[in-house]
Amino acid sequence: MKLASSLTLVLITSAGVLFPLQGAASSVTKLSMVSALSAVNAVSLSSMAMVAQSKKNLKVTSSQQAIQLVKHQYPGKVLKVQSSRVKGNPGYQVKLLSSSGAVFYVTVDAKTGSVRRK
């Protein structure tokens, strides 16, 4: 929240420097800019809260957690991890190299924590 407040202050300060206004119109325009920036700030805070809430509903919240789950079930060297959709849910796709030299993929459903080889 401090970041959003600081960002608003920087934007207000920048707006005053970039658009110096004079007279009665300047206070009205500056007030409009402050109102607009406050609205942007509120939307940013709301978006951050939604992201935090959605992460609470996930069993796997990072690629590192996904790697740990995969390593418990499948031996091999992790070559790559990327976020992806797994059955409509957020998740991860992990590319592995087996000890025999075969390359294969495993998916991790972040919502359920299920791990499956493709």
Side-chain angles (χ1 to χ4, degrees):
M1 285 193 202
K2 287 183 181 181
L3 176 63
S5 298
S6 299
L7 180 61
T8 301
L9 181 60
V10 168
L11 289 173
I12 291 169
T13 305
S14 298
V17 171
L18 293 174
F19 305 108
L21 301 171
Q22 312 219 329
S26 72
S27 60
V28 172
T29 303
K30 285 182 181 178
L31 182 59
S32 296
M33 287 176 17
V34 169
S35 297
L37 291 172
S38 295
V40 169
N41 190 17
V43 169
S44 296
L45 290 175
S46 175
S47 296
M48 290 182 344
M50 286 173 36
V51 168
Q53 181 62 33
S54 67
K55 279 203 165 195
K56 283 183 181 180
N57 297 332
L58 300 178
K59 290 190 177 183
V60 180
T61 58
S62 71
S63 59
Q64 292 302 313
Q65 284 182 319
I67 289 170
Q68 291 301 318
L69 286 173
V70 169
K71 283 186 168 186
H72 283 289
Q73 292 186 25
Y74 298 98
K77 180 180 179 182
V78 174
L79 300 176
K80 185 178 180 180
V81 181
Q82 66 184 43
S83 60
S84 67
R85 287 276 178 192
V86 179
K87 295 187 177 182
N89 293 328
Y92 298 91
Q93 180 173 284
V94 182
K95 184 178 182 181
L96 294 158
L97 176 65
S98 71
S99 58
S100 65
V103 175
F104 64 100
Y105 292 88
V106 176
T107 58
V108 179
D109 186 319
K111 186 174 180 180
T112 65
S114 69
V115 178
R116 294 190 180 183
R117 186 171 176 166
K118 285 177 106 177

